[in-house]
Amino acid sequence: VPDNVSDDVAVLADPFSVCLHAVLRHPPAADGPALVYGQGVLGLLTVAVLRRLHPQVEVYAVARHPHQAQMAKSLGAHQVLVGRPEALIRHVAELTGAKPIQPQRGKPWLLDGVGVVYDTIGSAESVETGLRLVRTQGQVVIIGVGVPKRFEWTPLYFKEVQVVGSNAFGVETYRGQRRHAMDVYLELAEQGLDLSALITHRFPLEEWREAFRCCMQRGASGAVKVVLAFG
C-alpha cells in the first residue's frame, strides 16, 4: 500500500476490485442506462466504478435502506429506486419510456429497459427482477451470491438475455494494459479516489460479535462497511 494511501482507503481494495472486474469484463452499453441492484458495499462500489470509468452512462441504483439510497446519490447515481419488484419495473418503465408487458399470469416485464443489470445480491428475486428490467439482448451480470431458489425465468428466453457470472478479480485489462485489479485501485487512490465514507462502523477486535451483529442488522444500524480495529 503506498504511503499516501490511508488504511481506511486501502481496506476497500478487495471489494472495489470485485466490482472493477465485473465492469471491465462486462461494460455498460453507451446508449442505455446501467442498473445496479443492491446498495451494500459491492453495489455502492459498482456505482463508483461506473461513474469513474463510464461517466457518460446513466446509472440507476436499487437500494433497500434509506442510508444506502443517500450514499448511492453521493456517489453519483442518477436515480435511486426503492420498492418491491413490480414497483421497480414500473419505475424503470417510466424512466426509460418502455411499455410494460403484462402476461396473463405473473409479474410484468420490459422489452426496452436498461442496457445492463449488475446484480450485487444474486437472490432469486433480484435475478428474476433483473431479467424483467433489462432490455432485449441485454446483460444481467451476477456479482453477488444468494441462496439458490426457483424463479420464473421466461423473459430470459423471450428477450435473449445474457446472464453472466463475475467472480472476484485478478489481472485485468485496464486502459490497454494488463494489471492486477488492486494495483489499479491503489493507483486511483493515489490520484485522489477516496471512498472511505463507506466505512460506517468501527469495533475493537474483542467486540467482533457486535460487529457481525451490526452487519446483519443493516436496516437498524445503518451499516455499510464495518471494520475491526487492531491495537
Side-chain angles (χ1 to χ4, degrees):
V1 177
D3 292 339
N4 62 336
V5 175
S6 69
D7 289 347
D8 281 0
V9 173
V11 79
L12 295 168
D14 181 279
F16 185 94
S17 296
V18 171
C19 304
L20 179 67
H21 175 74
V23 174
L24 288 176
R25 285 197 65 214
H26 308 285
D31 63 342
L35 184 142
V36 182
Y37 209 125
Q39 290 300 293
V41 175
L42 290 181
L44 290 165
L45 288 174
T46 301
V47 170
V49 171
L50 288 168
R51 298 297 293 128
R52 184 83 182 196
L53 271 58
H54 300 278
Q56 78 284 1
V57 172
E58 196 168 9
V59 178
Y60 302 164
V62 177
R64 182 177 182 181
H65 303 297
H67 70 280
Q68 296 174 336
Q70 183 177 1
M71 197 162 287
K73 290 179 182 177
S74 72
L75 291 174
H78 298 85
Q79 298 286 342
V80 178
L81 315 180
V82 296
R84 302 298 295 173
E86 292 192 40
L88 294 176
I89 294 168
R90 289 195 299 270
H91 200 163
V92 171
E94 293 171 359
L95 291 170
T96 60
K99 181 180 178 180
I101 295 175
Q102 180 61 61
Q104 288 184 337
R105 290 186 290 179
K107 303 181 186 73
W109 44 284
L110 310 177
L111 285 176
D112 303 306
V114 297
V116 59
V117 173
Y118 298 97
D119 185 347
T120 67
I121 301 173
S123 68
E125 180 178 278
S126 64
V127 175
E128 179 184 359
T129 307
L131 291 173
R132 295 175 183 279
L133 292 172
V134 76
R135 65 170 55 164
T136 300
Q137 296 185 339
Q139 283 192 329
V140 176
V141 183
I142 309 297
I143 304 172
V145 181
V147 177
K149 291 183 180 179
R150 294 175 181 268
F151 64 89
E152 202 280 290
W153 49 269
T154 306
L156 170 67
Y157 165 81
F158 279 107
K159 295 196 288 184
E160 298 186 343
V161 175
Q162 293 183 10
V163 179
V164 293
S166 181
N167 179 29
F169 54 87
V171 177
E172 317 289 349
T173 300
Y174 177 74
R175 294 184 176 176
Q177 295 183 329
R178 295 287 287 167
R179 302 177 58 192
H180 196 279
M182 283 196 178
D183 290 334
V184 174
Y185 171 72
L186 292 173
E187 179 183 277
L188 293 173
E190 283 191 289
Q191 296 171 357
L193 179 65
D194 185 354
L195 300 169
S196 59
L198 272 66
I199 299 175
T200 55
H201 294 73
R202 303 171 189 274
F203 292 89
L205 183 59
E206 59 269 21
E207 296 181 16
W208 63 269
R209 288 183 178 86
E210 184 60 30
F212 275 92
R213 188 175 298 112
C214 181
C215 289
M216 296 300 294
Q217 300 172 346
R218 290 184 293 271
S221 68
V224 177
K225 184 67 171 176
V226 178
V227 299
L228 296 171
F230 294 80

